[in-house]
């Protein structure tokens, strides 16, 4: 039964934070959906090719064996056949390349973004700056996870909520808004990745990279650093909360008021 | 050892030496490739000399941002966070750099532009990034940037982001000496 | 292995005991040295893998601190790539190339000895860094700056070790090319060479092209750290991404270096046990050469998330997809060799068939990784780890094991225990899949690479993978037992051990004389 569930789960999109998860999430942005579609397309094509090739091998193993008296044939070359199985795969590849190239052009188009979020990777936390709204803060792994993850902490991590995927300061973003995310780093190369938002880019010290997201559904989305950056690479989570535009503007005002209050 | 053998060794040894030097050749080749194509968000590293100002009807938004590298004791901010500029016209803006320590520091800025395909059109006439800056203890300096957006800027671009990362280059062996990798 | 060969030798001043092995210039002895060395390194690299899998068995940190975990992942890769897989293939090359082309030995026998003996020194130095105060290297085997520049006394020692590995490989490759091009028996023209020779010839060219580039890249790291250069630091006008370009310009041909000799082994074994000639010999040669050439123009597919311009992403996506064509041709040719053959399934054949199926699965995940829009979700996750372990373990490693089972009776004159061999095969194959298949799932579900601990939703498949890893590791002890048992055997093997085997090595006795083909044979 479990095997069937696994197969069914593979052929269907994932549910957030389910155990035994076997597939990529469809996610909540145009880019995550594109990634999922290309992924599934290539996957299905390779499954078909696999069935054909391994099927031929299985047939051969059963029927072309010495123990049932099979005699070896003498053929050992055929230019015609070589051409066929060079050209047909090439055509299949062209068939894959076209949608993939179209998808890629779309994913790399950062024009017409409404707000800009600058993300700076540190060893071992993230800094977020909302450039238009002048909001800025650091975000690191929350205390509960951080305590539990220490070697021989004695804490049962299964009891920690969102273990290793919880932070002290959440990134709040508006839905249905094209957001340009700028990436850089303070010290070494990091990478910012939230699977359900699609897209992943390296955060490189001295350089700026960009990525765009347009979050279609409100909710909480979790990710983490995706480039080895030292001993606590595994402990730099990312939590994004997507809310309506009105909620977002309320949140921004609160952040700005807090900043003014702090500076007094 | 016969002639053919000798020839084989000779050629293979030359090939090996060539491939080693090729890896060093990749260094300037990489820079040339990036400069010619504007890839990697690299803008001009040295001053652009002759500039003909031919202001156009077109306006683009430039956002300015800053990062301090390796948690150096600097405060480094753009004075203008955003400018609406006319393509083909020369502009001047400033960044401030404060040395928050009680020793003289040297600092070097590294610029980066996105979208990277537009980097080659962001031409810097005078830039504090062309040379190393010296800042005294607790001193604040105003660092000038004079630039022009080239008329050849791609039609679809409406916004550019210019980012500077400021590095503490006081000691030559400049990397963060804290041993962050091991424990 | 030792006593029979010594009896047949009539050198007057040949040393025995330890000195024999230190000073030998005989390709058979040196092949043996490489193979035993690689087996030892395989167990060391395997032990490191088991530390990793033991820690990853459950969420939470139970065994090691994160810094040490990173040392394990870094050294596991360096040991397996440079200490296990590459030397094993060089061992097969040393034993087989002179025998298959009818040559008395390699072109430069003394250089051959040095090429081997560099390795134990280099690896002792590299592994000793684990005992340094700051520990061993922990920035990943890919050594990306700025992280790799951040410190640790181990760094210069690791860089020197890698230089030595490279030197050993380059000298070995020169030797191999010189031997193959100049010492073939009369009548053996290039398109009559055994396919294993072709794959090693092409691999040797790749080695000479790629290893010096790695040498350049790591020297740049060294001077950036100690001598004030700034190849990779933005403050000095350098670029960390340039390292990645230089490294992967080496790195991609490197992975073909790791697989092409395995292709040669499989192309030898499948025809032998199908009792049918290899289908499309010429095609196989051209396909191998195409793969080698293409391998130089795909490197940036390891770097799709660095912020490459669109044109670059498209170019590298297309060239990477293109490699699937000659690789597919090879797979189809192997299947066509099996087709309408008369197959038996001794241990070498079992490993060879498993290679075709499982390497192809690795190829499929490779094709998926080539698609940039999807790669943004795969990059730096366990999906990549699954991919490269499928092509390296049931790929390269199975190729080596198949070659060892196939040629061991020839080298030693003793037959291995076929029942035990089959058990070793089935255990290995089952556990290899149990270990690496679940990694596809956790990667897709969002688990990044190189982390010592993970969120709870990844726990179940990680537990399965860890169980598989321990099973796989224990099964290789069985392999060691089989090897030792074979050496103790009394039963001698035939000259032509396998009914369907073809090639000059099968015209010699098992074991062959210490010096064989002192007079070149005639080839039709």
């Amino acid at each position: 039964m479990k095997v069937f569930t696994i197969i069914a789960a593979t052929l269907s999109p994932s549910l957030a934070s389910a155990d035994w998860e076997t597939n990529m999430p469809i996610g909540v942005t145009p880019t995550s959906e594109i990634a999922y579609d290309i992924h599934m397309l290539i996957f299905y094509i390779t499954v078909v090719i696999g069935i054909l090739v391994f099927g031929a091998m299985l047939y051969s193993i059963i029927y072309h064996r010495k123990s049932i008296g099979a005699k070896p044939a003498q053929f050992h070359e055929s230019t015609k056949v070589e051409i066929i199985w060079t050209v047909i795969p090439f055509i299949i590849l062209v068939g894959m390349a076209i949608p993939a190239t179209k998808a890629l052009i779309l994913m790399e188009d950062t024009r017409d973004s409404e707000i800009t979020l600058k993300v700076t990777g540190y060893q071992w936390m993230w800094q977020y700056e909302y450039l238009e709204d002048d909001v800025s803060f650091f975000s690191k792994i929350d205390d509960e996870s951080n305590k539990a993850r220490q070697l021989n902490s004695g804490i049962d991590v299964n009891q920690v909520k969102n273990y290793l995927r919880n932070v002290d300061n959440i990134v709040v973003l508006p839905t249905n808004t094209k957001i340009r995310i700028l990436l850089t780093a303070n010290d070494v190369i990091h990478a910012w990745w939230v699977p359900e938002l699609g897209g992943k880019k390296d955060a490189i010290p001295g350089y700026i990279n960009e990525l765009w997201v347009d979050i279609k559904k409100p909710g909480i989305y979790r990710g983490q650093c995706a480039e080895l950056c030292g001993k606590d690479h595994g402990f730099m989570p990312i939590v994004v909360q997507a809310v309506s535009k009105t909620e977002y503007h309320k949140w921004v005002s609160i952040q700005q008021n807090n900043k003014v209050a702090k500076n007094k | 050892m016969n002639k053919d053998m000798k020839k084989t060794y000779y050629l293979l040894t030359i090939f090996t030496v060539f491939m080693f030097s090729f890896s060093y050749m990749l260094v300037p080749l990489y820079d040339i490739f990036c400069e010619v194509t504007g890839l990697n968000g690299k803008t001009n590293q040295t001053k652009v000399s002759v500039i003909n100002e031919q202001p156009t009807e077109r306006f683009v938004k430039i956002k300015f941002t800053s990062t301090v590298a390796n948690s150096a004791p600097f405060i480094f901010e753009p004075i203008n966070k955003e400018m609406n500029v006319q393509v083909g016209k020369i502009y001047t803006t400033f960044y401030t750099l404060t040395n928050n320590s009680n020793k003289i520091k040297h600092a070097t800025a590294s610029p980066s532009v996105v979208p990277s395909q537009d980097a080659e059109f962001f031409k810097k006439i005078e830039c504090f990034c062309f040379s190393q800056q010296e800042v005294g203890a607790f001193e604040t300096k105003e660092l000038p940037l004079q630039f022009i957006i080239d008329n050849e800027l791609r039609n679809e671009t409406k916004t550019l982001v210019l980012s500077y990362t400021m590095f503490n280059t006081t000691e030559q062996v400049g990397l963060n000496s804290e041993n962050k990798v091991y424990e | 292995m030792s006593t029979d060969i010594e009896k047949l030798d009539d050198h007057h001043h040949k040393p025995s005991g330890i000195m024999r092995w230190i000073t030998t210039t005989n390709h058979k002895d040196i092949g043996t040295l490489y193979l035993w060395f690689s087996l030892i390194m395989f167990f060391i690299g395997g032990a490191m893998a088991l530390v990793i899998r033991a820690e990853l068995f459950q969420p939470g940190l139970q065994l090691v601190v994160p810094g040490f975990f990173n040392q394990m992942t870094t050294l596991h890769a360096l040991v397996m790539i440079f200490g296990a897989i590459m030397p094993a293939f060089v061992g097969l090359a040393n034993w087989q190339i002179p025998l298959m082309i009818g040559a008395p030995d390699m072109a430069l026998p003394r250089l051959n000895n040095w090429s081997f003996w560099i390795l134990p020194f280099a690896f002792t130095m590299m592994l000793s860094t684990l005992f340094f105060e700051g520990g061993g290297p922990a920035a990943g085997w890919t050594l990306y700056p700025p992280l790799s520049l951040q410190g640790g006394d181990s760094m210069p020692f690791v860089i020197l070790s890698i230089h030595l590995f490279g030197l050993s490989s380059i000298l070995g490759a020169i030797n191999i090319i010189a031997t193959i091009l100049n010492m073939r028996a009369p009548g053996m023209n290039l398109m009559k060479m055994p396919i294993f020779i072709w794959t090693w010839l092409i691999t040797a060219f790749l080695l000479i092209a790629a290893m010096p580039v790695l040498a350049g890249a790591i020297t740049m790291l060294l001077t950036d750290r100690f001598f004030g250069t700034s190849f990779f630091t933005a403050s000095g006008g350098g670029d960390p991404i340039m390292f990645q370009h230089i490294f992967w310009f080496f790195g991609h041909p490197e992975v073909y270096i790791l697989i092409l000799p395995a292709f040669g082994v499989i192309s030898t074994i499948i025809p032998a046990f199908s009792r049918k000639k290899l289908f499309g010999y010429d095609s196989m040669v051209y396909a191998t050469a195409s793969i080698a050439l293409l391998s130089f123009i795909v490197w940036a597919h390891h770097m799709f998330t660095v912020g490459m311009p669109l044109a670059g992403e498209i170019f590298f996506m297309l060239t990477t997809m293109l490699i699937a064509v000659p690789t597919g041709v090879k797979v189809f040719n192997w299947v066509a060799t099996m087709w309408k053959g008369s197959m038996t399934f001794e241990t070498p054949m079992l490993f060879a068939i498993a290679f075709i199926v499982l390497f192809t699965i690795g190829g499929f995940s490779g094709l998926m990784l080539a698609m940039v829009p999807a790669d943004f979700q795969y990059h730096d996750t366990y999906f990549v780890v699954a991919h490269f372990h499928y092509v390296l373990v049931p790929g390269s490693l199975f190729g080596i094991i198949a070659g060892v089972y196939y040629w061991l009776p020839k080298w030693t004159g003793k037959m291995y225990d076929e029942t035990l061999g089959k058990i070793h095969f089935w255990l290995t194959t089952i556990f290899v899949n149990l270990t690496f298949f679940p990694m596809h799932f956790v990667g897709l579900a969002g688990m990044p690479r190189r982390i010592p601990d993970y969120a709870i939703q990844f726990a179940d498949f990680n537990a399965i993978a860890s169980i598989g890893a321990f099973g796989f590791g224990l099964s290789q002890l069985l392999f060691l037992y089989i090897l030792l048992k074979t050496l103790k055997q009394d039963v001698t093997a035939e000259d032509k051990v396998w009914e369907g085997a073809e090639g000059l090595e099968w015209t010699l006795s098992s074991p062959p004389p210490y010096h064989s083909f002192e007079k070149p044979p005639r080839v039709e």
Side-chain angles (χ1 to χ4, degrees):
Chain A
M1 190 54 207
K2 205 150 229 173
V3 174
F4 181 75
T5 318
I6 292 177
I7 295 175
T10 315
L11 298 174
S12 67
S14 80
L15 311 154
S17 74
D19 290 350
W20 299 107
E21 190 46 66
T22 56
N23 204 0
M24 186 191 287
I26 296 185
V28 297
T29 66
T31 47
S32 67
E33 283 176 32
I34 292 171
Y36 179 82
D37 289 337
I38 299 284
H39 158 70
M40 290 310 286
L41 172 67
I42 312 306
F43 173 66
Y44 286 138
I45 293 175
T46 59
V47 166
V48 169
I49 298 175
I51 290 175
L52 291 170
V53 174
F54 303 150
M57 285 176 76
L58 188 59
Y59 182 92
S60 196
I61 288 171
I62 297 173
Y63 291 104
H64 302 150
R65 47 166 72 204
K66 184 173 179 206
S67 59
I68 58 169
K71 293 270 176 279
Q74 294 304 311
F75 65 83
H76 61 265
E77 61 186 356
S78 161
T79 314
K80 189 171 78 171
V81 149
E82 300 285 1
I83 293 179
I84 292 177
W85 64 42
T86 305
V87 169
I88 293 185
F90 184 79
I91 294 176
I92 297 175
L93 287 175
V94 170
M96 293 175 183
I98 294 174
T101 307
K102 283 202 187 129
L104 190 54
I105 293 173
L106 228 146
M107 281 172 119
E108 296 286 28
D109 178 5
T110 52
R111 291 172 299 162
D112 304 326
S113 303
E114 289 171 54
I115 66 177
T116 310
L117 173 69
K118 183 176 168 211
V119 177
T120 306
Y122 281 71
Q123 283 171 315
W124 290 279
M125 61 189 132
W126 299 97
Q127 182 187 27
Y128 297 104
E129 293 166 80
Y130 293 71
L131 292 189
E132 289 84 8
D133 298 311
D134 200 26
V135 173
S136 161
F137 55 87
F138 281 87
S139 174
K140 59 186 205 313
I141 188 173
D142 77 315
D143 278 332
E144 212 194 331
S145 287
N146 202 28
K147 279 208 196 82
R149 63 101 166 178
Q150 302 296 331
L151 181 60
N152 296 321
S153 65
I155 302 173
D156 179 9
V157 301
N158 288 290
Q159 302 303 322
V160 177
K161 199 147 173 281
N162 292 308
Y163 176 62
L164 296 188
R165 289 229 162 164
N166 229 355
V167 297
D168 53 1
N169 295 316
I170 293 182
V171 180
V172 176
L173 290 173
T175 52
N176 294 305
T177 312
K178 192 168 181 186
I179 302 166
R180 175 191 230 139
I181 300 181
L182 298 177
L183 293 158
T184 187
N186 170 64
D187 35 42
V188 297
I189 303 178
H190 300 264
W192 198 81
W193 186 42
V194 180
E196 283 161 296
L197 300 185
K200 176 193 289 131
K201 275 281 157 70
D202 288 353
I204 302 163
Y207 292 89
I208 201 132
N209 262 335
E210 58 175 355
L211 173 52
W212 69 270
V213 295
D214 183 354
I215 309 173
K216 295 299 185 191
K217 254 179 63 180
I220 297 191
Y221 306 108
R222 302 173 191 274
Q224 59 188 107
C225 180
E227 181 63 55
L228 179 64
C229 54
K231 69 178 173 76
D232 283 345
H233 160 61
F235 306 106
M236 298 178 47
I238 299 161
V239 180
V240 171
Q241 182 170 24
V243 297
S244 69
K245 287 196 202 195
T246 354
E247 298 265 335
Y248 169 71
H249 287 299
K250 273 200 216 140
W251 176 84
V252 168
S253 314
I254 297 175
Q255 300 305 308
Q256 288 171 335
N257 289 338
N258 285 345
K259 187 173 173 196
V260 169
K262 259 207 296 196
N263 289 339
K264 279 210 175 114
Chain B
M1 201 191 295
N2 65 30
K3 270 209 183 102
D4 284 331
M5 273 300 197
K6 277 208 184 134
K7 188 167 157 210
T8 307
Y9 296 136
Y10 188 62
L11 288 172
L12 291 177
T13 309
I14 291 189
F15 185 30
T16 307
V17 171
F18 172 74
M19 288 313 293
F20 180 75
S21 49
F22 178 73
S23 69
Y24 277 89
M25 285 195 258
L26 283 176
V27 179
L29 279 175
Y30 181 77
D31 277 339
I32 293 174
F33 194 70
C34 286
E35 236 179 77
V36 162
T37 57
L39 303 183
N40 206 31
K42 282 190 157 148
T43 49
N44 52 305
Q45 309 265 49
T46 50
K47 170 184 182 118
V48 173
S49 39
V50 181
I51 287 296
N52 297 320
E53 250 190 306
Q54 288 170 16
T56 65
E57 299 279 292
R58 190 178 160 197
F59 278 81
V60 288
K61 208 189 289 188
I62 315 284
K63 288 185 195 284
F64 296 91
T65 175
S66 60
T67 306
V68 172
N70 294 310
S71 308
F74 298 148
I75 299 177
F76 174 55
E77 296 288 341
I79 287 191
N80 287 323
K81 295 233 159 86
E82 207 175 282
M83 283 172 80
N84 228 359
V85 309
Q86 209 170 354
V87 173
K89 189 158 167 231
I90 296 180
Y91 288 87
T92 304
T93 184
F94 294 86
Y95 275 73
T96 54
L97 173 63
T98 303
N99 175 359
N100 240 1
S101 76
N102 58 5
K103 293 201 173 71
I104 296 181
K105 294 277 183 241
H106 292 102
T108 309
S110 189
S112 185
V113 169
V114 283
S116 54
Q117 304 94 303
D118 294 319
E120 56 178 317
F121 306 116
F122 189 104
K123 296 227 177 341
K124 305 192 294 292
I125 301 163
E126 268 303 337
C127 179
F128 56 88
C129 57
F130 292 154
S131 54
Q132 200 177 60
Q133 305 296 319
E134 187 183 287
V135 201
F138 299 112
E139 189 192 336
T140 299
K141 268 186 136 164
E142 250 186 28
L143 306 173
L145 165 68
Q146 196 179 46
F147 66 95
I148 182 171
I149 306 297
D150 193 296
N151 295 20
E152 298 293 303
L153 181 72
R154 294 183 306 152
N155 284 329
E156 61 257 40
T157 304
K158 300 218 184 67
T159 311
L160 289 173
V161 179
L162 171 66
S163 165
Y164 283 99
T165 307
M166 191 61 85
F167 290 87
N168 177 359
T169 46
T170 307
E171 295 108 32
Q172 263 317 94
V173 188
L175 286 146
N176 195 343
S177 54
E178 261 175 71
N179 198 339
K180 289 229 176 80
V181 184
Y182 313 99
E183 193 122 274
Chain C
M1 228 183 293
S2 41
T3 47
D4 285 291
I5 292 174
E6 274 180 32
K7 277 199 205 111
L8 294 163
D9 172 54
D10 55 16
H11 266 204
H12 293 300
H13 303 291
K14 202 176 76 65
S16 57
I18 293 265
M19 283 314 287
R20 165 183 166 188
W21 295 103
I22 294 181
T23 60
T24 180
T25 56
N26 182 293
H27 74 98
K28 303 180 178 81
D29 279 355
I30 294 174
T32 302
L33 284 170
Y34 270 106
L35 288 168
W36 278 114
F37 173 77
S38 80
L39 187 65
I40 294 170
M41 298 309 299
F42 174 64
F43 282 119
I44 293 178
M48 295 174 178
L50 292 182
V51 170
I52 294 170
R53 285 313 326 167
E55 182 55 71
L56 291 175
F57 178 55
Q58 283 180 317
L61 285 181
Q62 295 87 23
L63 296 171
V64 297
V65 289
F68 184 74
F69 183 89
N70 291 344
Q71 293 174 47
M72 288 291 98
T73 51
T74 304
L75 284 170
H76 163 72
L78 287 169
V79 166
M80 287 306 205
I81 293 170
F82 294 106
I85 302 287
M86 287 169 82
F89 280 130
V90 177
L92 293 181
N94 260 289
W95 256 107
Q96 290 305 120
I97 292 178
L99 295 184
M100 282 169 144
I101 65 175
D105 206 299
M106 298 292 288
L108 289 167
R110 213 169 304 158
L111 189 67
N112 206 11
N113 172 292
W114 293 343
S115 301
F116 171 73
W117 279 108
I118 290 176
L119 295 181
F121 280 108
F123 276 93
T124 306
M125 173 161 46
M126 188 173 79
L127 292 172
S128 72
T129 61
L130 279 170
F131 300 100
F132 286 13
E133 202 184 298
W141 85 279
T142 48
L143 298 171
Y144 285 179
L147 181 65
S148 57
L149 295 172
Q150 264 192 342
D153 294 333
S154 63
M155 188 226 197
F157 293 94
V158 174
I159 289 185
L160 181 56
S161 304
I162 297 176
H163 271 301
L164 292 173
F165 305 154
L167 189 63
S168 164
S169 294
I170 292 169
L171 296 176
I174 292 179
N175 219 341
I176 286 171
I177 294 175
T179 308
I180 295 176
L181 291 183
N182 296 318
M183 291 172 68
R184 277 167 288 129
M188 185 180 283
N189 57 33
L190 286 176
M191 291 312 262
K192 276 219 197 105
M193 295 196 303
I195 190 89
F196 179 71
I197 305 291
W198 262 115
T199 56
W200 244 116
L201 179 64
I202 294 173
T203 304
F205 275 107
L206 284 180
L207 275 166
I208 297 183
M211 298 301 301
V213 177
L214 175 64
I218 60 181
T219 308
M220 292 182 214
L221 276 180
L222 195 68
T223 57
D224 261 24
R225 166 87 184 270
F226 293 108
F227 299 111
T229 57
S230 43
F231 289 102
F232 309 124
T233 39
S235 57
D239 187 349
I241 302 309
M242 185 173 70
F243 176 84
Q244 296 188 29
H245 282 290
I246 302 177
F247 180 86
W248 286 115
F249 187 84
F250 143 79
H252 200 81
E254 167 66 18
V255 311
Y256 289 100
I257 289 167
L258 295 173
I259 198 65
L260 291 187
F263 285 168
V265 173
I266 303 306
S267 296
T268 308
I269 291 178
I270 298 279
F273 293 91
S274 306
R275 292 163 181 74
K276 195 159 151 282
K277 272 198 158 88
L278 179 67
F279 188 89
Y281 172 92
D282 287 16
S283 264
M284 291 300 250
V285 173
Y286 297 136
T288 311
S290 320
I291 291 171
L293 286 170
L294 281 171
S295 74
F296 284 101
I297 56 171
V298 299
W299 77 86
H301 68 223
H302 299 270
M303 300 165 54
F304 281 140
T305 60
V306 297
M308 234 194 297
L310 182 63
E313 288 175 344
I314 294 177
F315 174 78
F316 285 107
M317 175 168 77
L318 297 178
T319 52
T320 307
M321 290 169 75
L322 204 54
I323 291 205
V325 175
T327 314
V329 164
K330 292 185 87 76
V331 173
F332 301 142
N333 276 282
W334 286 322
V335 179
T337 307
M338 293 165 73
W339 191 261
K340 295 224 171 110
S342 174
M343 286 188 276
T344 52
F345 301 98
E346 291 87 329
T347 308
M349 184 61 162
L350 290 174
F351 275 102
I353 294 176
F355 173 100
I356 300 176
V357 175
L358 299 174
F359 173 81
T360 301
I361 291 179
F364 288 151
S365 57
L367 187 56
M368 292 166 79
L369 285 161
M371 316 305 293
V372 184
D375 184 65
F376 289 143
Q377 297 283 54
Y378 305 138
H379 177 78
D380 239 288
T381 67
Y382 262 81
F383 190 80
V384 180
V385 179
H387 159 71
F388 66 69
H389 280 97
Y390 261 85
V391 291
L392 283 173
V393 186
S396 304
L397 184 68
F398 276 27
I400 293 167
I401 295 177
V404 169
Y405 276 113
Y406 184 61
W407 284 308
L408 190 65
K410 169 58 59 186
W411 300 333
T412 61
K414 299 176 200 260
M415 198 52 201
Y416 64 85
D417 183 326
E418 181 59 49
T419 310
L420 285 182
K422 289 199 166 83
I423 295 176
H424 173 229
F425 167 74
W426 285 109
L427 288 174
T428 301
T429 302
I430 291 170
F431 284 120
V432 93
N433 282 292
L434 208 61
T435 309
F436 298 113
F437 206 77
M439 292 186 186
H440 293 106
F441 300 145
V442 293
L444 291 177
M447 180 178 172
R449 291 172 69 169
R450 296 168 162 173
I451 55 176
D453 192 4
Y454 46 77
I456 307 295
Q457 66 257 37
F458 305 126
D460 299 302
F461 284 127
N462 267 290
I464 295 177
S466 292
I467 293 172
F470 275 86
F472 178 82
L474 290 170
S475 307
Q476 305 323 304
L477 292 177
L478 176 57
F479 182 53
L480 178 61
Y481 174 73
I482 293 171
L483 292 172
L484 295 172
K485 181 168 188 257
T486 308
L487 297 176
K488 287 220 179 78
Q489 287 274 28
D490 286 325
V491 183
T492 42
E494 314 253 316
D495 290 2
K496 194 173 179 195
V497 179
W498 311 107
E499 188 192 338
E502 304 261 325
L504 284 174
E505 72 266 39
W506 307 105
T507 64
L508 297 168
S509 59
S510 304
Y514 194 58
H515 298 297
S516 41
F517 293 131
E518 279 174 311
K519 257 176 51 181
R522 266 247 82 118
V523 173
E524 264 83 83

